[in-house]
Amino acid sequence: MSSYDRKKHLEALHAERKANTRNKVDEAIQRLIRANKNINFNSVAEESGLTKATLYSNKDIREIIETLRHQQAQVPTPAQIKISYADIYKKI
């Protein structure tokens, strides 16, 4: 009879769940980028089917979402670009 190591079994299950969560988040973010939608905790949670608590509690995932959200905030929206072009033409 083989010995059953509960601790190793639970560690393996935890690692598998963590990998599945990360894959769901990565796929959700890719879909949001392709759809040109905002990336934030609400949109990633909705797209991935995970809870916001899961996204906030996982340090790596939280950092990724915050970084992408910050990057998107730095990119001007089409309306902002239109306004800046209008300002340039007024000066000419």
Side-chain angles (χ1 to χ4, degrees):
M1 186 171 176
S2 65
S3 64
Y4 173 73
D5 189 352
R6 181 177 171 86
K7 185 177 179 180
K8 285 185 181 179
H9 179 71
L10 290 175
E11 287 173 353
L13 283 175
H14 179 69
E16 183 180 342
R17 279 193 198 143
K18 192 172 183 177
N20 286 340
T21 299
R22 180 64 187 259
N23 287 338
K24 286 180 182 180
V25 169
D26 289 342
E27 290 171 2
I29 289 173
Q30 289 175 8
R31 287 192 298 269
L32 290 168
I33 290 171
R34 276 188 249 122
N36 203 22
K37 293 186 177 180
N38 288 336
I39 296 174
N40 54 47
F41 289 95
N42 288 327
S43 63
V44 174
E46 185 178 327
E47 188 70 29
S48 66
L50 299 170
T51 64
K52 286 191 288 184
T54 300
L55 302 178
Y56 277 108
S57 65
N58 188 312
K59 184 180 176 184
D60 295 333
I61 292 172
R62 183 178 184 155
E63 188 175 309
I64 290 168
I65 294 171
E66 288 174 345
T67 301
L68 291 172
R69 182 175 61 183
H70 180 70
Q71 286 177 353
Q72 280 186 330
Q74 302 302 316
V75 176
T77 64
Q80 291 170 330
I81 293 172
K82 198 177 212 180
I83 290 170
S84 66
Y85 283 139
D87 291 342
I88 292 170
Y89 287 124
K90 285 180 185 177
K91 293 177 183 177
I92 296 178

